[in-house]
Amino acid sequence: MIEYLLQALGLGLAAGLLPGPMLGLVIRETLEHGRRAGYLVACAPLLTDAPIILIALFVANALPASINRWLGLAGGLFLIWMGIDAWRAKPPTEASGAPWASLWRALITNWLNPHPWLFWLPVGGPLLISIQRQHSWLATVSFLLVFYLLLIGSKIFLCEIVARSRRFLQGAAYRWVMRGCSVLLIGLGLVLIAEYLG
């Protein structure tokens, strides 16, 4: 069980800091409208991900175990690809936009963002099923709580950094954070592949 919680911690942190539409929106709304807008955007996955997770669980349950194994391998490769992409990430830049409806923009952005779908269908869905079968629903809920605590928490932390110091995003610090996430994602991808090959 500790292994799964560590995976939830690593995946949540990496997902929270990985460059993408949601991270860019957190930064943009914070720069333009302040901390409160950034916090609302950071919390948007709590509202949008539930249907995605349910669809992923339905698909993972409906498919034969052999297909789930291949989905798990594909998920591991996807994590490795995200890790390589994170290594090359450049600091986000400020963008323009309307001074209202930050949360609404975040909800639409996250629904149209391929990252949650690409994570929950091949990676998260089979992983949750595996946790539930080996342990219990309580373990599955614990995984989700840790994952979202790190996902939302890391975005809020970044929101604070943006609000306090724009220079941080211009320098080498951001690149080093992303390289740390890169190594983490590649490592988690390799662990996932080894688990499904074992």
Side-chain angles (χ1 to χ4, degrees):
M1 184 57 212
I2 297 296
E3 174 193 349
Y4 287 121
L5 290 180
L6 289 174
Q7 285 184 356
L9 192 149
L11 287 169
L13 180 63
L17 295 176
L18 194 69
M22 284 301 293
L23 185 67
L25 197 60
V26 167
I27 292 167
R28 177 181 118 173
E29 296 299 322
T30 304
L31 287 170
E32 293 183 357
H33 310 303
R35 281 185 180 84
R36 188 170 297 176
Y39 289 171
L40 285 172
V41 174
C43 292
L46 294 175
L47 300 174
T48 58
D49 283 10
I52 299 173
I53 294 171
L54 289 174
I55 291 169
L57 289 173
F58 175 78
V59 169
N61 264 322
L63 295 175
S66 58
I67 300 294
N68 275 328
R69 183 177 179 222
W70 288 108
L71 273 177
L73 292 174
L77 291 173
F78 175 67
L79 289 177
I80 291 171
W81 175 80
M82 284 201 308
I84 293 169
D85 196 49
W87 185 273
R88 299 181 300 212
K90 295 179 180 177
T93 56
E94 183 177 355
S96 60
W100 50 274
S102 298
L103 180 60
W104 179 246
R105 273 197 296 271
L107 295 176
I108 294 173
T109 299
N110 207 43
W111 259 104
L112 299 177
N113 181 7
H115 285 173
W117 296 94
L118 289 172
F119 172 77
W120 284 111
L121 284 171
V123 182
L127 194 56
L128 290 177
I129 295 295
S130 176
I131 294 169
Q132 195 276 324
R133 286 176 180 166
Q134 292 182 32
H135 299 283
S136 64
W137 280 109
L138 180 61
T140 308
V141 171
S142 299
F143 177 92
L144 287 170
L145 286 174
V146 171
F147 176 83
Y148 278 99
L149 179 66
L150 269 293
L151 173 69
I152 305 301
S154 60
K155 278 183 166 39
I156 288 175
F157 177 70
L158 184 61
C159 174
E160 277 297 316
I161 291 172
V162 172
R164 291 170 184 265
S165 174
R166 297 182 185 185
R167 287 185 188 174
F168 182 83
L169 296 176
Q170 304 298 324
Y174 182 85
R175 285 192 293 273
W176 282 109
V177 168
M178 292 316 304
R179 286 177 181 176
C181 287
S182 169
V183 172
L184 185 63
L185 282 167
I186 291 171
L188 287 168
L190 292 173
V191 167
L192 198 62
I193 289 171
E195 183 178 326
Y196 280 96
L197 284 177

